[in-house]
Amino acid sequence: MNLYFFPRFTATALAALVLAGSAAAKSIELLNVSYDPTRELYVEYNAAFAAYWKTKTGDDVVVKQSHGGSGKQARSVIDGLRADVVTLALAGDIDAIAKNSGALSSDWQTRFPHNSAPYTSTIVFLVRKGNPKGIKDWDDIVKPGVAVITPNPKTSGGARWNYLAAWEFAKRKLGSDDAAKAFVAKLFKNVPVLDSGARGATTTFVQRGIGDVFLSWENEAFLAVKEFGADQFEIIVPSLSILAEPPVAVVDKVVKRKGTAEVANAYLEYLYSDEGQDIAGKNFYRPVDPKAAAKYAAQFTKVDLFTIDQAFGGWAKAQKEHFDDGGTFDQIYLKN
Amino acid sequence: MKSPRSFRDAATAVALSTLALAPLAGRAQTAPADDISALREQIRQLDQKLRVLERNNELKDEAATAAAQKAVKVTADAKGFGLTSADKSFDLKLKLMAQFDSRTFLDHEGAANRDGFFLRRIRLPFTGTISNVDFTVTPELGANALSSTSTTVGLIDAWVNVKLIPEFNIKAGRSPSPVGLEPGANRHFIESPFVNTLLPNRDLGIEANGSFNGGFVDYRAGAYIGTRNNTQSFSTDDADGDKTAAGRLTVAPFFADKESPLSKLSLGVGASHGNERGSISASTTVTGIQNYVSNGQQTLLAIPGAFVESNAKGNKASGTSIIADGDHTRISPSLEWYTGTPFSLVAEYAVEKQDYLYRRQSAGTGNATTGTVGAVNTRRFDGETTAWRVSTGYVLTGEEATKNGVTPFAPFKWGADSWGAFELVGRLSGVDYAESLYDAAHGGLSPTANATGAFAYGAGLNWYFNNNFRVLFNVEKTKLEGGGAGTAGALSDELYFFTRLQLSF
């Protein structure tokens, strides 16, 4: 059979398919790989974004969530988990993805406003009602007999913020890195359980009843009080803490392959919208937009905050010195 | 072993009991408040230690579970040996199908005694899924011909199927042709019926395939090299350079009603159309047409291919050929009904229409200098061949008859009164070869020396030991129309008793 018509037939069929596809509403699925305590935030935000996107384009978008320790999540993406976007606890974890997988460029942090951090948070202490151990500041949690709950800095972004906040407090108070290292070593001697992520550590402290103080993301502490009642827990704000800037990024390699670049970018951009910022505030994250920040200012205690750049010269440096294999955490924890 | 939680509860109870009994020890009424506080603190510390122990064990379990979920899964079961990645995006399987046949022809009036043992098929399918691509590579070893002195080794299947959406996927490579029913549809009997001799077995090409409404409508459509009937050759069938369009549409009209006995009834029609051309050269003739065989695999109609091109004077060579030379169309409607009960039924019909070229060269005369070139007589004609079959089965032991066979309620076990499953099968089939092949003005074949058609009826018993091993017994009688002792083992009426031992996993 002479199949001269075959290419024409194929072209016509493909054109029909394309036209049929473009005429119908699309159903799009995104995967947001995030860290532990953002579950509630993104459940609410995903619904809001889906409604926004439907109104704007007519397309249905379903955002699947994956949560875990920030470092573990980054490792999963490096190992091939097909995340359209990552919303992790610290820039160092997204840097690691860029460096080790090449799935996004090294300038990813310039893509969105505020260094791609649409909300901030900090580290506070969650103690049991009545604060039976009288914990007020970082000094108090290194005392003998105080059981401290914090996740493993090797796998949890929140734990790394905890670690560095304690380090900087001690350095400022005691005057040297050596003294800070000894201080943090004492702190980790008081840690009886090392969870891999912040949500697991919350379970350890809140539901399993272990420990006297939980070094917690601010939003996670508020959530525990809200969920389990102010008659069980109190939030203690230390004299000094760290400004945590959980960043977001589109995983270019994945969205290019899946054809989801437009919606993935819109998904992260919408975090900066009035609705996105309001949802962040409602979920106890500190909005970066001044209007939303003012709206929710009353729920956050004022605290002296330092940044990772100011105290440690950025995440890359901090990661290498403290958390890479052989860093100060390994020296302290293996010794303990 | 007690769980940490119960251990903690027990220890706490003991500690509390100790605390409660403390007053009885004589100090209670005068015990200082400090002592009681100290005891309470000890209990609190003990409780914390036990909670920590319990939580650390819990974390260890979680880590172990997470590690197990990430681990590659290795399986060895009735479906073969497998490797599956934790996220199931990589799934590889190595399978085996081995068929050992015994053939006994009960009537030896034919040209040759074709009794014997055969390693009919030994296949090692390597199948898998890599991300959204399915693939199969199936090497085959085996020999169908009694006279074969070497083991046939080849690739029976080699294809990839890129899964896009359920309604549209792209498959490329060598796979069962869409014109006929899939190979499993012949499972009632050991050998395929006449219908299969009119259809290609495997074909090489690219196709679109998909399924609508979860299986209500299935389709396959593509361009192939146009393999000859009842063969599975590679690119040699594309020597004419023309492609063949082929496809199949299958509808399961009662698919949605799972309770209905008709839910697994499917009606289909396959078709192909292409331009097939044999070739004749000074050294060889390629007819482009496969010889037609009986259900007992004996040649019924051998297409002559003896013509050899010769322009040399005095060449005494002579011969006749019939080669494919033009349009070749096949249509094959079918019905498959697996009722969800022990009963099953498969019916199939095929018609093929082929354009032929007849060429005959007479012997030359004289010598190479003064002699003559033999006269060449050619003529074009077409012919239509039809075949049909109805196969049915009933599982005596009550199991459901499925497309893949029967899963016994009680797999065979020696001495345990457990015998597996037994299925009675029957088949009627027939074939009518194109009349024009026998017409003196066209193909010129002798209707008395070649079969012009055949009708066969047979019965059998299939014994399923378990999901992996079965033994089949078939008796089938084929009555020939026309016929007589042909040139390639053709025979008078055929009566055979075949047995097959089949192992598959």
Side-chain angles (χ1 to χ4, degrees):
Chain A
M1 179 177 117
N2 188 343
L3 288 184
Y4 73 93
F5 70 91
F6 193 73
R8 294 184 193 181
F9 170 77
T10 307
T12 307
L14 286 175
L17 276 174
V18 168
L19 286 173
S22 59
K26 283 186 290 188
S27 182
I28 306 161
E29 188 175 291
L30 294 181
L31 175 61
N32 176 5
V33 172
S34 194
Y35 61 109
D36 250 343
T38 58
R39 284 178 173 81
E40 294 75 14
L41 164 67
Y42 281 108
V43 166
E44 188 174 351
Y45 176 74
N46 292 344
F49 176 75
Y52 158 75
W53 194 248
K54 179 79 176 171
T55 305
K56 185 179 176 185
T57 67
D59 294 340
D60 295 313
V61 59
V62 175
V63 185
K64 289 197 167 177
Q65 300 175 217
S66 168
H67 297 272
S70 185
K72 270 175 76 176
Q73 294 292 80
R75 186 73 250 168
S76 296
V77 175
I78 292 166
D79 289 344
L81 180 61
R82 286 161 62 88
D84 297 272
V85 298
V86 286
T87 55
L88 296 178
L90 42 90
D93 285 333
I94 302 182
D95 281 339
I97 296 170
K99 182 181 169 189
N100 295 313
S101 73
L104 65 169
S105 62
S106 57
D107 67 347
W108 62 269
Q109 221 165 349
T110 63
R111 304 271 187 89
F112 297 99
H114 297 279
N115 283 333
S116 294
Y119 40 78
T120 66
S121 190
T122 189
I123 300 302
V124 298
F125 301 161
L126 190 68
V127 298
R128 302 197 185 282
K129 186 65 185 174
N131 193 4
K133 291 292 172 87
I135 293 163
K136 293 189 176 65
D137 211 340
W138 294 98
D139 303 275
D140 301 316
I141 66 171
V142 298
K143 289 175 182 170
V146 176
V148 181
I149 300 303
T150 179
N152 187 343
K154 286 281 191 181
T155 53
S156 161
R160 270 174 270 179
W161 292 113
N162 296 344
Y163 184 100
L164 296 174
W167 187 286
E168 181 62 11
F169 170 85
K171 187 178 173 185
R172 288 187 188 188
K173 184 163 186 177
L174 304 173
S176 72
D177 279 325
D178 287 343
K181 186 177 174 183
F183 182 89
V184 175
K186 279 169 74 178
L187 189 159
F188 272 90
K189 268 193 176 171
N190 284 353
V191 177
V193 175
L194 212 53
D195 286 276
S196 62
R199 187 51 59 92
T202 305
T203 301
T204 297
F205 184 76
V206 173
Q207 291 177 294
R208 301 290 184 267
I210 298 169
D212 301 306
V213 56
F214 172 32
L215 310 188
S216 169
W217 285 101
E218 186 176 45
N219 67 293
E220 191 79 344
F222 273 111
L223 204 64
V225 172
K226 183 183 168 190
E227 201 164 310
F228 293 92
D231 58 334
Q232 291 201 49
F233 303 107
E234 291 178 23
I235 294 173
I236 304 292
V237 179
S239 62
L240 178 72
S241 196
I242 194 164
L243 177 66
E245 297 172 297
V248 299
V250 172
V251 184
D252 295 328
K253 202 172 175 180
V254 173
V255 297
K256 192 175 172 190
R257 198 174 297 166
K258 286 174 64 179
T260 53
E262 184 190 1
V263 65
N265 274 291
Y267 177 72
L268 295 186
E269 274 167 13
Y270 198 66
L271 282 166
Y272 295 88
S273 69
D274 289 348
E275 186 176 21
Q277 289 288 291
D278 191 59
I279 290 170
K282 267 201 284 183
N283 284 275
F284 309 109
Y285 287 88
R286 298 180 180 222
V288 291
D289 174 63
K291 196 168 64 179
K295 180 180 174 184
Y296 289 99
Q299 73 184 12
F300 302 113
T301 308
K302 285 200 183 323
V303 56
D304 185 9
L305 296 173
F306 66 89
T307 69
I308 189 89
D309 291 340
Q310 290 165 351
F312 297 94
W315 261 113
K317 191 162 179 282
Q319 175 70 31
K320 188 176 177 189
E321 286 182 11
H322 296 286
F323 307 115
D324 279 355
D325 288 347
T328 60
F329 176 71
D330 278 351
Q331 295 163 27
I332 287 167
Y333 199 70
L334 295 176
K335 202 173 167 186
N336 277 346
Chain B
M1 182 183 160
K2 278 189 171 181
S3 70
R5 187 185 290 273
S6 57
F7 180 53
R8 188 191 75 205
D9 292 346
T12 305
V14 171
L16 290 171
S17 303
T18 306
L19 186 66
L21 291 170
L24 300 178
R27 294 185 59 206
Q29 292 178 359
T30 57
D34 287 352
D35 285 357
I36 293 178
S37 294
L39 280 171
R40 282 187 174 143
E41 178 57 19
Q42 281 179 11
I43 291 168
R44 192 192 72 79
Q45 287 178 9
L46 180 61
D47 177 63
Q48 280 288 299
K49 281 183 180 175
L50 290 169
R51 284 173 189 265
V52 166
L53 180 66
E54 178 185 328
R55 180 61 174 158
N56 278 325
N57 279 338
E58 201 177 352
L59 293 177
K60 272 184 196 168
D61 290 345
E62 284 175 9
T65 304
Q69 284 171 347
K70 278 189 175 177
V72 172
K73 192 177 170 190
V74 180
T75 55
D77 54 30
K79 294 179 180 173
F81 298 100
L83 288 175
T84 308
S85 64
D87 63 0
K88 296 184 178 164
S89 60
F90 285 75
D91 182 23
L92 307 175
K93 268 208 160 31
L94 182 62
K95 304 180 180 185
L96 168 75
M97 185 176 73
Q99 295 174 341
F100 175 74
D101 288 7
S102 164
R103 293 180 184 172
T104 304
F105 289 89
L106 303 174
D107 183 345
H108 287 172
E109 292 174 16
N113 181 355
R114 313 291 287 177
D115 293 358
F117 293 128
F118 296 80
L119 280 174
R120 182 71 167 91
R121 294 183 183 90
I122 297 176
R123 290 180 182 168
L124 289 164
F126 178 50
T127 69
T129 300
I130 296 176
S131 192
N132 66 330
V133 178
D134 290 340
F135 74 90
T136 287
V137 177
T138 306
E140 178 173 271
L141 309 91
N144 186 31
L146 186 70
S147 58
S148 177
T149 54
S150 60
T151 303
T152 305
V153 181
L155 273 178
I156 185 76
D157 287 318
W159 53 261
V160 294
N161 189 40
V162 182
K163 295 183 288 186
L164 301 171
I165 54 175
E167 295 83 3
F168 184 72
N169 310 292
I170 297 289
K171 189 176 187 179
R174 184 173 184 234
S175 62
S177 165
V179 188
L181 288 170
E182 290 189 1
N186 285 323
R187 71 153 186 84
H188 286 129
F189 272 68
I190 291 172
E191 292 297 347
S192 305
F194 296 117
V195 170
N196 287 62
T197 65
L198 272 58
L199 305 175
N201 188 320
R202 256 74 177 173
D203 214 336
L204 181 63
I206 184 165
E207 69 172 39
N209 63 74
S211 184
F212 291 88
N213 279 4
F216 176 67
V217 174
D218 291 339
Y219 77 93
R220 293 175 65 191
Y224 306 85
I225 63 171
T227 303
R228 284 169 291 149
N229 292 342
N230 202 25
T231 60
Q232 47 207 27
S233 58
F234 271 104
S235 56
T236 51
D237 279 308
D238 201 27
D240 56 20
D242 289 325
K243 299 291 179 289
T244 292
R248 169 162 282 269
L249 187 70
T250 306
V251 181
F254 307 101
F255 172 80
D257 184 1
K258 301 292 183 199
E259 302 302 315
S260 167
L262 297 173
S263 67
K264 291 177 185 170
L265 170 71
S266 66
L267 305 170
V269 60
S272 71
H273 181 72
N275 198 330
E276 309 297 348
R277 295 178 198 281
S279 63
I280 293 173
S281 70
S283 58
T284 185
T285 294
V286 177
T287 65
I289 307 164
Q290 190 72 1
N291 290 342
Y292 296 91
V293 297
S294 70
N295 294 352
Q297 300 298 294
Q298 308 306 300
T299 302
L300 288 186
L301 175 57
I303 302 296
F307 179 89
V308 175
E309 190 80 57
S310 173
N311 294 316
K313 292 177 180 175
N315 190 321
K316 302 295 189 301
S318 67
T320 301
S321 282
I322 296 175
I323 64 170
D325 189 43
D327 284 354
H328 185 204
T329 304
R330 306 177 183 102
I331 298 173
S332 179
S334 63
L335 177 152
E336 287 182 282
W337 189 23
Y338 297 96
T339 59
T341 70
F343 176 72
S344 57
L345 177 74
V346 180
E348 199 177 7
Y349 175 82
V351 54
E352 73 159 340
K353 190 174 179 185
Q354 171 75 60
D355 287 348
Y356 300 103
L357 174 66
Y358 168 94
R359 294 187 81 177
R360 171 162 179 79
Q361 179 153 27
S362 305
T365 59
N367 58 40
T369 308
T370 60
T372 61
V373 176
V376 175
N377 177 21
T378 63
R379 54 189 182 244
R380 286 195 162 77
F381 67 102
D382 60 33
E384 189 174 288
T385 296
T386 60
W388 60 273
R389 62 109 166 197
V390 178
S391 308
T392 186
Y394 188 83
V395 185
L396 300 171
T397 41
E399 289 88 345
E400 180 184 348
T402 72
K403 197 169 190 170
N404 296 321
V406 176
T407 300
F409 291 141
F412 176 80
K413 199 171 180 185
W414 184 260
D417 198 23
S418 182
W419 295 98
F422 294 90
E423 182 183 36
L424 267 182
V425 295
R427 179 167 73 185
L428 299 175
S429 59
V431 62
D432 275 312
Y433 298 117
E435 288 180 11
S436 54
L437 288 169
Y438 306 91
D439 188 332
H442 296 124
L445 297 180
S446 165
T448 54
N450 296 280
T452 59
F455 168 70
Y457 53 94
L461 179 70
N462 297 339
W463 182 5
Y464 298 87
F465 282 60
N466 49 45
N467 278 332
N468 301 110
F469 186 70
R470 66 185 71 168
V471 179
L472 291 76
F473 306 94
N474 288 176
V475 176
E476 192 167 37
K477 170 84 174 179
T478 300
K479 296 183 75 65
L480 303 187
E481 296 167 13
T487 56
L491 40 124
S492 58
D493 291 354
E494 176 184 272
L495 177 62
Y496 71 71
F497 174 67
F498 284 5
T499 304
R500 167 169 293 170
L501 275 61
Q502 177 172 314
L503 175 69
S504 61
F505 59 79

